[in-house]
Amino acid sequence: MATTRIIDDDRLTAVGLLVEVHRGLTNKFAARLAQHGLSENELEILLRLGRTPNCQLRMSDLAAQTSLTTSGVTRVVDRLERAGLVARASCDTDRRGTWAVLTDTGLERVTAAVADHIEDVDRWYTGLLTPEQLTGLTDALRIVRDTVRPEAVAGIAEAARARTHVGV
């Protein structure tokens, strides 16, 4: 009689595959992002800002949404601000808060990078799946994300209500 070992549990296989896929995709995407002068963290911040209403998030919400610490987000936003891709603006509803706002130049840069990035996403990820598989995987990932990282959508509603204008 064969016994099943706990280390052979299918749940470990599922999480192991997720980790392996993330590492593999990160490696595949890095070269193309470098051609646009962006790191993975910089692209993530630019995308999160660009896909948020009014292209802005409070710095604290940006930190909550990313895998970076608050100081890590500050360092990345500092670099993006020096490059003219992001600006900071005061938050009217919270004197301690600061908005990170995507500039027009930042939107142009992330749009150009994404045009190439989406080719890699399709080649190494979405294009390998049928539409039904992609929908199922996206739905499943959203369920897990919403449970383990509900803060990943922090600040979206407030950003939609805010009207920050940056003259950059």
Side-chain angles (χ1 to χ4, degrees):
M1 176 176 174
T3 56
T4 303
R5 302 176 317 160
I6 194 163
I7 62 172
D8 296 324
D9 191 300
D10 287 342
R11 293 170 292 187
L12 294 176
T13 302
V15 77
L17 285 169
L18 185 62
V19 169
E20 290 171 4
V21 166
H22 176 264
R23 287 180 184 153
L25 288 173
T26 298
N27 290 338
K28 295 292 186 188
F29 296 160
R32 186 86 71 118
L33 290 176
Q35 291 175 357
H36 289 277
L38 296 173
S39 69
E40 179 184 1
N41 290 335
E42 291 166 337
L43 177 68
E44 181 180 13
I45 286 176
L46 292 173
L47 274 174
R48 286 187 181 275
L49 292 173
R51 293 176 60 139
T52 300
N54 299 316
C55 294
Q56 65 186 25
L57 279 167
R58 288 184 317 171
M59 291 287 289
S60 58
D61 293 330
L62 194 52
Q65 285 191 20
T66 66
S67 57
L68 299 171
T69 63
T70 303
S71 62
V73 166
T74 298
R75 285 191 299 274
V76 174
V77 170
D78 285 346
R79 284 195 307 269
L80 294 171
E81 189 174 30
R82 282 192 300 273
L85 306 178
V86 171
R88 285 184 170 92
S90 297
C91 181
D92 292 339
T93 60
D94 179 1
R95 289 184 312 156
R96 297 168 296 157
T98 302
W99 293 102
V101 184
L102 188 64
T103 64
D104 290 343
T105 302
L107 183 58
E108 290 171 12
R109 180 80 158 286
V110 73
T111 300
V114 166
D116 286 339
H117 182 63
I118 203 77
E119 289 179 13
D120 288 343
V121 169
D122 192 50
R123 178 178 181 193
W124 300 110
Y125 182 43
T126 58
L128 303 174
L129 305 173
T130 66
E132 295 79 18
Q133 289 171 323
L134 181 58
T135 297
L137 179 59
T138 301
D139 291 345
L141 289 172
R142 194 165 277 124
I143 289 167
V144 175
R145 189 270 325 262
D146 290 349
T147 301
V148 301
R149 292 217 52 235
E151 66 276 9
V153 294
I156 300 293
E158 185 175 353
R161 290 189 300 271
R163 294 275 183 222
T164 301
H165 300 285
V166 176
V168 177

